[in-house]
Amino acid sequence: MSRLVSQRGTNQTRGPGEEDGELSSHFQILGLNSKPPTDYFLSFSEICPVCKSSRYLNPKMKFLVNPECYHKMCESCVDRIFSQGPAPCPVAGCGRTLRKVRFRQQTFGDIKVEREVDIRRRVGKVFNRREDEFTSLLDYNNYLEEVENLTFNLIEGIDVAETESKLDAYASQNAPTIARNTALSNQEHSSAEARTAAEKELVRLRREAAKKKEDDERKEKEQANREFIDKLAKGTGDPEALAMEAQKVVLKRSTARRSAAEKSRQIQQQQQQQQQQQQNHPLHPSANDSSSSAFQIKGLKPLEVVEPEKPYDPFGGLSYTPVYHTLQDHYENQWLHNARTDPQVTAGGYDVKEYYARTMLEAFGGLGCFIAEEIAGRDKSAGKGLGTQAAAVAAVGGADDVF
């Protein structure tokens, strides 16, 4: 009786595929595990909620999800239902309109993690302010806290409609800033990738240069030994002198090769520095373009409008346009007729218009001078801050003019 009870106990503790103890012992002798892994049963237990097909019958079946509702269904159901256009979700109780183009394979094993990553990515594309746009670190941390609160509400389903309205309002009112920061992030990412690729290329070139250097040295040594052996075979010259000469030739060649390699390395470094300087010109981040009434951001730096660079002015902003007269291209004067037509005058580059400009400037040069105003201004400045009595006398005209 006790033997039967113990036999029943052993039978109850056996797993699937272990109906016989001898089968388990054979598995152990062959080094195999009689119990299939847990992932084996989990993978074959996945069933499509639409067509009820499982991976047990079709191991190659692929499941797809749509970010609209995150309901999982097989690829054949997606092709069958959504090939003709948008259609409601076939899962009972959902009814959201889905499109085939948005279906994709699930990245994470947990669908909740998949949904949270998508929400954080979508919110991060809108709220992409940078730390250098805020006046202090506290303001930037408060901004991150507000963004995290909105993200938490979307993930947990708290006030979804209100949160979505805040998100849409902020995106519409700060579109230029969002686009600028997105372009800046893309530029930084591309610059980082370019630097990484340049570093890898530099490592590859150094490896190839080192290998080529070793090959050249080996070939030069072989050639020098061959020439040395040929000269010894011909019996021309002292063996010790020939050996010294061969060593000098090898040393000279290696020195020339090293100097050439050093020059090429310096040229490559200069080119890389120029490329990095061209790539390291980030876009100027803007401050707050407009503030949303639903989502306020505090502590942003004031917007600095960068004025476009003006063209170069050699006169430093001084205007030489005449005020009291207008210079014409031609003036009737018999005395200047010869200067206009004589090749001996015009061959040296002389232009009669220069004479016109100088003469008119001399004629109208005194029209803008008002002596009474200048005397009043001179007396006023003389009484204000003249350092000595001699300076006051010189200012009023009491000193003799040396000229």
Side-chain angles (χ1 to χ4, degrees), residues 9-24:
T10 55
N11 290 334
Q12 289 178 359
T13 58
R14 291 175 182 174
E18 292 184 352
E19 289 79 1
D20 195 355
E22 295 182 358
L23 182 61
S24 177

Side-chain angles (χ1 to χ4, degrees), residues 260-313:
E262 182 68 20
K263 290 182 180 179
S264 63
R265 186 178 64 82
Q266 292 178 358
I267 293 173
Q268 290 179 0
Q269 288 181 354
Q270 292 178 358
Q271 292 178 354
Q272 289 180 357
Q273 290 178 359
Q274 292 177 358
Q275 292 178 358
Q276 289 180 359
Q277 289 177 359
Q278 293 176 359
Q279 292 174 359
N280 293 334
H281 287 292
L283 299 174
H284 182 71
S286 169
N288 190 17
D289 293 338
S290 61
S291 59
S292 172
S293 60
F295 187 84
Q296 296 287 342
I297 299 178
K298 299 180 180 180
L300 286 175
K301 293 181 180 179
L303 178 62
E304 298 178 359
V305 180
V306 180
E307 297 181 356
E309 186 177 358
K310 298 180 180 179
Y312 174 72
D313 185 7

Side-chain angles (χ1 to χ4, degrees), residues 76-95:
S76 60
C77 290
V78 173
D79 294 336
R80 176 173 53 85
I81 299 173
F82 302 99
S83 294
Q84 301 298 328
C89 179
V91 177
C94 181

Side-chain angles (χ1 to χ4, degrees), residues 202-372:
L202 182 60
V203 171
R204 186 185 66 83
L205 292 176
R206 287 178 179 175
R207 191 184 301 113
E208 291 181 356
K211 184 178 180 181
K212 184 179 179 181
K213 180 180 177 181
E214 293 178 358
D215 295 341
D216 293 342
E217 290 180 354
R218 179 176 53 80
K219 290 179 181 179
E220 288 179 358
K221 289 181 180 180
E222 291 178 356
Q223 184 178 0
N225 293 333
R226 195 180 301 108
E227 292 177 356
F228 178 68
I229 293 172
D230 292 340
K231 290 180 180 180
L232 288 178
K234 292 178 181 179
T236 58
D238 187 14
E240 295 181 358
L242 293 175
M244 292 293 294
E245 183 180 358
Q247 291 180 359
K248 290 181 180 179
V249 171
V250 172
L251 182 60
K252 184 177 180 180
R253 291 178 179 176
S254 62
T255 304
R257 186 178 59 255
R258 289 173 183 173
S259 62
E262 182 68 20
K263 290 182 180 179
S264 63
R265 186 178 64 82
Q266 292 178 358
I267 293 173
Q268 290 179 0
Q269 288 181 354
Q270 292 178 358
Q271 292 178 354
Q272 289 180 357
Q273 290 178 359
Q274 292 177 358
Q275 292 178 358
Q276 289 180 359
Q277 289 177 359
Q278 293 176 359
Q279 292 174 359
N280 293 334
H281 287 292
L283 299 174
H284 182 71
S286 169
N288 190 17
D289 293 338
S290 61
S291 59
S292 172
S293 60
F295 187 84
Q296 296 287 342
I297 299 178
K298 299 180 180 180
L300 286 175
K301 293 181 180 179
L303 178 62
E304 298 178 359
V305 180
V306 180
E307 297 181 356
E309 186 177 358
K310 298 180 180 179
Y312 174 72
D313 185 7
F315 300 106
L318 296 177
S319 177
Y320 288 90
T321 305
V323 180
Y324 298 101
H325 68 276
T326 302
L327 187 64
Q328 299 181 4
D329 296 335
H330 181 76
Y331 291 93
E332 289 293 338
N333 193 335
Q334 295 295 333
W335 182 68
L336 297 175
H337 181 71
N338 188 25
R340 296 193 194 99
T341 58
D342 190 0
Q344 295 181 359
V345 178
T346 59
Y350 180 76
D351 191 1
V352 185
K353 294 181 180 180
E354 296 179 1
Y355 174 76
Y356 296 161
R358 180 169 57 85
T359 306
M360 298 296 289
L361 182 62
E362 292 175 354
F364 291 90
L367 292 181
C369 300
F370 301 96
I371 305 300

Side-chain angles (χ1 to χ4, degrees), residues 37-279:
T38 309
D39 296 341
Y40 179 84
F41 294 104
L42 292 178
S43 62
F44 281 88
S45 63
E46 295 181 357
I47 300 174
C48 176
V50 181
C51 63
K52 307 303 180 181
S53 298
S54 64
R55 282 187 177 175
Y56 180 80
L57 301 176
N58 186 9
K60 296 182 179 181
M61 184 173 58
K62 295 181 180 179
F63 286 94
L64 303 177
V65 294
N66 194 304
E68 189 68 27
C69 62
Y70 292 95
H71 287 143
K72 184 164 54 176
M73 60 190 73
C74 65
E75 188 176 10
S76 60
C77 290
V78 173
D79 294 336
R80 176 173 53 85
I81 299 173
F82 302 99
S83 294
Q84 301 298 328
C89 179
V91 177
C94 181
R96 293 188 178 182
T97 303
L98 308 180
R99 289 171 175 82
K100 183 181 178 181
V101 69
R102 299 197 62 186
F103 277 93
R104 57 181 172 81
Q105 290 188 0
Q106 186 175 343
T107 305
F108 300 94
D110 192 352
I111 198 67
K112 294 182 179 180
V113 177
E114 185 87 14
R115 179 174 173 270
E116 180 177 352
V117 169
D118 291 342
I119 291 175
R120 290 187 178 276
R121 186 184 296 114
R122 182 167 66 92
V123 174
K125 288 181 180 180
V126 177
F127 294 97
N128 56 357
R129 295 279 184 178
R130 306 168 68 87
E131 184 177 354
D132 53 2
E133 297 183 49
F134 293 84
T135 56
S136 63
L137 181 60
L138 178 61
D139 296 330
Y140 181 62
N141 290 333
N142 293 334
Y143 162 76
L144 294 179
E145 184 177 1
E146 292 292 334
V147 174
E148 183 62 28
N149 291 336
L150 295 178
T151 306
F152 180 80
N153 292 341
L154 292 176
I155 293 173
E156 300 297 330
I158 303 172
D159 299 333
V160 177
E162 182 180 357
T163 306
E164 289 288 351
S165 64
K166 291 182 180 180
L167 193 66
D168 296 338
Y170 179 84
S172 61
Q173 296 183 9
N174 296 271
T177 303
I178 294 172
R180 191 177 296 109
N181 290 338
T182 302
L184 180 59
S185 300
N186 295 336
Q187 185 178 1
E188 291 177 351
H189 181 67
S190 61
S191 299
E193 289 183 350
R195 286 195 297 269
T196 304
E199 291 175 357
K200 290 182 180 179
E201 183 68 15
L202 182 60
V203 171
R204 186 185 66 83
L205 292 176
R206 287 178 179 175
R207 191 184 301 113
E208 291 181 356
K211 184 178 180 181
K212 184 179 179 181
K213 180 180 177 181
E214 293 178 358
D215 295 341
D216 293 342
E217 290 180 354
R218 179 176 53 80
K219 290 179 181 179
E220 288 179 358
K221 289 181 180 180
E222 291 178 356
Q223 184 178 0
N225 293 333
R226 195 180 301 108
E227 292 177 356
F228 178 68
I229 293 172
D230 292 340
K231 290 180 180 180
L232 288 178
K234 292 178 181 179
T236 58
D238 187 14
E240 295 181 358
L242 293 175
M244 292 293 294
E245 183 180 358
Q247 291 180 359
K248 290 181 180 179
V249 171
V250 172
L251 182 60
K252 184 177 180 180
R253 291 178 179 176
S254 62
T255 304
R257 186 178 59 255
R258 289 173 183 173
S259 62
E262 182 68 20
K263 290 182 180 179
S264 63
R265 186 178 64 82
Q266 292 178 358
I267 293 173
Q268 290 179 0
Q269 288 181 354
Q270 292 178 358
Q271 292 178 354
Q272 289 180 357
Q273 290 178 359
Q274 292 177 358
Q275 292 178 358
Q276 289 180 359
Q277 289 177 359
Q278 293 176 359
Q279 292 174 359

